[in-house]
Every structure is written in structure tokens, then in C-alpha cells.
Amino acid sequence: MNTIKILAVDDHKMTMVGYKYILEDTDFEDYVVEMDMEDTFDTGKQKIEEASKKGAPYHIILLDIQLSPIKEGYARTGEDLGIIARKISPTSKIVFLSSFSDNYRINSIMQSVNPEGYMVKTEINEDALKDMVETVLTVPPFYTKKALIAIRNRMSSDIHLDDNDKKLLYYLSIGTKTKDMVEYVSLSLSGIENRKRQLKEILGVGKENDYALITAARDKGFI
Amino acid sequence: MNTIKILAVDDHKMTMVGYKYILEDTDFEDYVVEMDMEDTFDTGKQKIEEASKKGAPYHIILLDIQLSPIKEGYARTGEDLGIIARKISPTSKIVFLSSFSDNYRINSIMQSVNPEGYMVKTEINEDALKDMVETVLTVPPFYTKKALIAIRNRMSSDIHLDDNDKKLLYYLSIGTKTKDMVEYVSLSLSGIENRKRQLKEILGVGKENDYALITAARDKGFI
DNA sequence: TAAAAACCACAAATATTGTATGGTTTTTAC
DNA sequence: GTAAAAACCATACAATATTTGTGGTTTTTA
């Protein structure tokens, strides 16, 4: 019997334990599953490196998007870890676990990591986990329904936002004042005003307020 | 028992008949299925209009991408019909049936029609058909695996091609000479040359030939 | 091996985008 | 309710980016 090695990196230890027992108890056709768990960016990265160096890289790496609140200098997200994992363990299948609140990051993750799987946590259950493992090992990708809906929304518009646009929308969404945005977005104040107008136009919110703008951006799968 | 009304538009009559018998024989929880069939753009459009005007629009419209070879002036594809169907029958769920050879059009279709479902014909069977009906009626979208793979390819690159780029790639793919492209793409000859160079750069085919370019474009899900 | 097509490079023209400025309207806070 | 702050708008100008035209070289085709 072969063994499929899975690493889960998530700072909600209890959820991980749940996944572990489910997957290790599941009857798979040709293999059994063995799951390691880590709850920080650093220890997760370390495990991936070790396994890879030993010539026994993880078959599947499960990553929570939101990793534990910053310990040292600055936040390192699951996305960052995914990017690194792709490099140091290229054969591993990477699957993201997203809570509803950070599902908006799916587009960024699709581009930076292009994971073999993406699951929204509220949709995870025994069947979904089993299905995920079988699918990513054979014919990826595996996306849960809500992930698919987000992807569909994004695909259906051919609007292209550059880095400044995304930053602008992000800072707007966290309540940054337009006049303060010059500090974060490399544009002049009037440049920012122009872009904002333009974005409202593109996203179909004529002259409505900023709330309408970020709602539209979220609906369409940006930010 | 409710009745779900489906219209299939496909010029392969035999395949359609197969779908019809499968779907009308399938045991659904809350309804039975009734399927109409048409094999041309015009008759398909007509049926959709009639049903819509009678206040009983089709619940689901299945469209083959490739409709019968041109009869009158110019070709009308399933995609064109999909765009029209969205307008005249906005409550209908639209599902495309693609043969492998025209699967490359999925991206265009995702933008122009944004269908509730997309199935590659080689992946269609009883289960898939049943699943499709249930899914598009309740929680769309429904995509078969190969469609998903194409979508994933497209999502993972943030390359943005404008209309001229797409046209250029398309005409290149059908063998149009560069010098003749000025007729179809609204750019000067040197403009076209520039874009071509640029596209090769962007799509990662350094100074290879045109074949490499269109292959790369197809792989990544453009054209 | 000519002729055609593709490819390349560069300067000039054009279009797009960003900036600075000064003003009006809307929102916010007291 | 009102004054200050912020957002919004318009315009001229500056900076960039893109397209064009031209004249060439290389590659492909017949």
C-alpha cells in the first residue's frame, strides 16, 4: 500500500486535526494518507524544505490563506508560502483553504501560485476532502462550488486592472482616504482621482459612491 | 410533477437524440425533462423566441459551438446564438457543448455569453448530463474537467490581450500572411510586426516562428 | 536564384496617461 | 447650521507609450 503524504499549514489547530482524522480514516483505492500539521509560516516552510531535501516531498500541501498573526516583522500569508512551496517542492500539489472572508484573494492566488485545488472552508466535508485528494493527484484542478463561482465571475469580464488599480481598490476598501493614497500608490493625487473615475466607469457604477465601487469590484472578483 | 424544458441546438442530430433519450429517462428528484431539438441557427433562434414570447421560456438551452456550415451569407456560430439567447431569454440557463477541436473558444464564450455550463463532448455521459441539469438549475456553474483545465490555464496568466492581439493571433492561426493582415486588423504593417514581436515576447517564445506563437497562445487559453 | 514575404531599427507623429493647479461640490465634525 | 476637510471636476501641460512611415536586411518560397 502506498502512502500519500500531506502537509497542512493552518493556525486553526482543531480544524486541522479534524481534516487529519477524516483523511487518514478514509478508504482510498490505492493508498493510505498520512498527514503532518504545522501552524505557522516558518515551521510550514521548514517542513516542506526538509521533505523535499530528503527526496520525499509532500504529495499534497494544504495551505490556509490566513496564517497566524504576525510574530516578527511583517505578515507572511499562506499565499507567500504557496509561492515558495512551488519553488522548493515543484511536484507537490498545492491546495488552498479559504475562509469566506478571504475568498476575494482567489484571483491573486490563481496567478501567483496557480494551485491544483481551492476549497472554501464552509464547503469542506468528508466527501469533499476525499474528492479533493483523488482529483488533485490524478486530474487537477479541484475547486469547490464557491471557488468556481468566484472564478466564473472573474472570467466573464475581460477588464484588466494593473497594480495601481488593485492597490487603489484595496486601500479604498480598508477606508484609506483618497488624499492619503499618494503614500501607497505611486501616482499623484489627480492621477488617483482619474483612475478612480475611470474604474467606476469600467466597473459600471456611473457616478455612484465609493462603496458601490468596491462592491462592484468584489462582485467581479477583483480585490 | 414539474416539467423542465430544454432546447438543444446542434447539427449532429444523432448525438442530440442520444441526449434527449437519456435526459427524458433520467430520474430527477422534483421534475421531469422535456427536450426539443433544432439543428440550425435560425430555427434554434426561432424556438427560443417563440417560447419566450409565450411566457414559457426554456429552462435550459444547450448549444453546440459549431453549427451547421454556412447556408446563406456568413457563418453564425453557437456563440452568436448564445449572445442572442441571453437577450431574448434571460432566465434560461445556457450550456455550451464543445468538441475538443473548438474548446479553444471557451475564453471568448466565457466573456461574450458567460454560460451557466460548459461541457466538452468527449466527457459527456449519463451522469454528467444529469449532474449538469441539476447544477445549472440550482447552483451554477457546471464545467466538465477539460473545460475547467482550460479555465485554469487562462486564469493563471495575467496577460491581457486586446482586440487587435486576438485578431492578429486568429488570422495568423488560419494562415493569413502578415502583409495581408492590415485588411483585418486596424493597424499599420509595422504596427502588426511590432505586436507580433511583442506577443512572442509576452507568451515566452523568444524568437521562434509563428507556429510556436500560436501554440503558446492556445496553450495559455487565448484564441 | 530572383521575388516575395518576413523581420528589424529608428525617427517622427499620435494617442494615452500622468501631473499641477484652481476651482466646485459633498461630507464630516463640532 | 456651519466651517473645515475631503472629495470631486476641468483644464493645460508634461511625460510616456504606442503607432506609423521609411529604408533597409534576412528568410522563405516558387
Side-chain angles (χ1 to χ4, degrees), chain A residues 121-194:
Chain A
K121 282 186 177 174
T122 55
E123 300 174 295
I124 296 179
N125 58 29
E126 282 91 337
D127 289 343
L129 281 172
K130 184 182 185 192
D131 199 357
M132 178 275 288
V133 169
E134 290 173 339
T135 303
V136 299
L137 290 177
T138 53
V139 281
F142 179 89
Y143 306 128
T144 59
K145 179 60 69 173
K146 282 178 184 169
L148 254 191
I149 290 172
I151 289 170
R152 180 186 175 209
N153 281 339
R154 181 67 178 73
M155 280 288 291
S156 64
S157 81
D158 78 341
I159 297 166
H160 185 251
L161 304 186
D162 70 13
D163 234 47
N164 280 333
D165 292 321
K166 285 181 199 156
K167 271 191 197 157
L168 197 160
L169 286 171
Y170 169 70
Y171 283 108
L172 204 64
S173 75
I174 61 172
T176 308
K177 290 174 191 162
T178 299
K179 80 175 178 61
D180 293 332
M181 259 183 227
V182 286
E183 297 173 45
Y184 311 112
V185 184
S186 58
L187 279 176
S188 71
L189 183 57
S190 60
I192 291 171
E193 288 171 346
N194 281 334

Side-chain angles (χ1 to χ4, degrees), chain B residues 9-16 19 62-67 95-103 118-126 128-129 144-147:
Chain B
V9 187
D10 190 329
D11 57 352
H12 300 82
K13 295 187 192 177
M14 285 328 282
T15 13
M16 264 199 303
Y19 300 162
L62 304 180
L63 297 175
D64 187 10
I65 291 178
Q66 203 123 35
L67 289 183
V95 178
F96 276 88
L97 309 177
S98 157
S99 41
F100 178 72
S101 59
D102 50 27
N103 194 32
Y118 194 102
M119 308 180 84
V120 176
K121 283 186 176 174
T122 55
E123 301 174 293
I124 296 179
N125 56 30
E126 281 92 335
L129 281 173
T144 59
K145 180 59 70 173
K146 282 178 185 167

Side-chain angles (χ1 to χ4, degrees), chain A residues 16-222:
Chain A
M16 265 199 301
V17 172
Y19 299 161
K20 178 180 170 73
Y21 286 135
I22 290 172
L23 283 175
E24 295 189 343
D25 275 5
T26 300
D27 274 333
F28 289 99
E29 198 90 355
D30 304 320
Y31 44 81
V32 294
V33 162
E34 216 179 276
M35 183 165 136
D36 294 344
M37 299 180 289
E38 290 299 337
D39 63 348
T40 67
F41 178 93
D42 293 307
T43 55
K45 180 182 168 192
Q46 206 175 321
K47 273 277 174 89
I48 296 169
E49 272 171 342
E50 282 168 10
S52 198
K53 271 186 189 154
K54 271 196 296 198
Y58 286 104
H59 296 94
I60 299 176
I61 299 173
L62 304 180
L63 297 175
D64 188 9
I65 290 178
Q66 202 124 35
L67 289 183
S68 55
I70 325 92
K71 287 188 173 165
E72 318 98 81
Y74 64 108
R76 304 279 256 162
T77 66
E79 183 172 358
D80 297 326
L81 186 51
I83 295 169
I84 293 171
R86 265 277 183 266
K87 274 195 199 133
I88 60 187
S89 188
T91 61
S92 303
K93 312 295 182 183
I94 297 178
V95 177
F96 276 88
L97 309 177
S98 157
S99 40
F100 178 72
S101 60
D102 49 29
N103 195 31
Y104 69 91
R105 293 184 53 185
I106 185 170
N107 291 295
S108 162
I109 288 172
M110 290 291 290
Q111 284 176 15
S112 61
V113 183
N114 192 19
E116 277 78 12
Y118 194 102
M119 308 181 84
V120 176
K121 282 186 177 174
T122 55
E123 300 174 295
I124 296 179
N125 58 29
E126 282 91 337
D127 289 343
L129 281 172
K130 184 182 185 192
D131 199 357
M132 178 275 288
V133 169
E134 290 173 339
T135 303
V136 299
L137 290 177
T138 53
V139 281
F142 179 89
Y143 306 128
T144 59
K145 179 60 69 173
K146 282 178 184 169
L148 254 191
I149 290 172
I151 289 170
R152 180 186 175 209
N153 281 339
R154 181 67 178 73
M155 280 288 291
S156 64
S157 81
D158 78 341
I159 297 166
H160 185 251
L161 304 186
D162 70 13
D163 234 47
N164 280 333
D165 292 321
K166 285 181 199 156
K167 271 191 197 157
L168 197 160
L169 286 171
Y170 169 70
Y171 283 108
L172 204 64
S173 75
I174 61 172
T176 308
K177 290 174 191 162
T178 299
K179 80 175 178 61
D180 293 332
M181 259 183 227
V182 286
E183 297 173 45
Y184 311 112
V185 184
S186 58
L187 279 176
S188 71
L189 183 57
S190 60
I192 291 171
E193 288 171 346
N194 281 334
R195 289 261 187 151
K196 234 170 107 175
R197 249 191 303 270
Q198 206 177 317
L199 280 171
K200 285 185 183 176
E201 200 55 47
I202 291 174
L203 294 177
V205 294
K207 285 180 186 282
E208 298 177 63
N209 60 17
D210 293 359
Y211 182 72
L213 176 58
I214 67 170
T215 303
R218 216 159 258 170
D219 280 354
K220 301 236 162 97
F222 304 103

Side-chain angles (χ1 to χ4, degrees), chain B residues 185-198:
Chain B
V185 184
S186 58
L187 280 175
S188 70
L189 184 57
S190 61
I192 290 171
E193 289 171 347
N194 281 333
R195 290 262 185 149
K196 234 170 109 175
R197 250 191 305 270
Q198 207 177 316

Side-chain angles (χ1 to χ4, degrees), chain B residues 146-160:
Chain B
K146 282 178 185 167
L148 254 190
I149 291 172
I151 288 171
R152 181 186 175 208
N153 281 340
R154 182 65 179 72
M155 281 288 292
S156 65
S157 82
D158 78 343
I159 296 167
H160 185 251

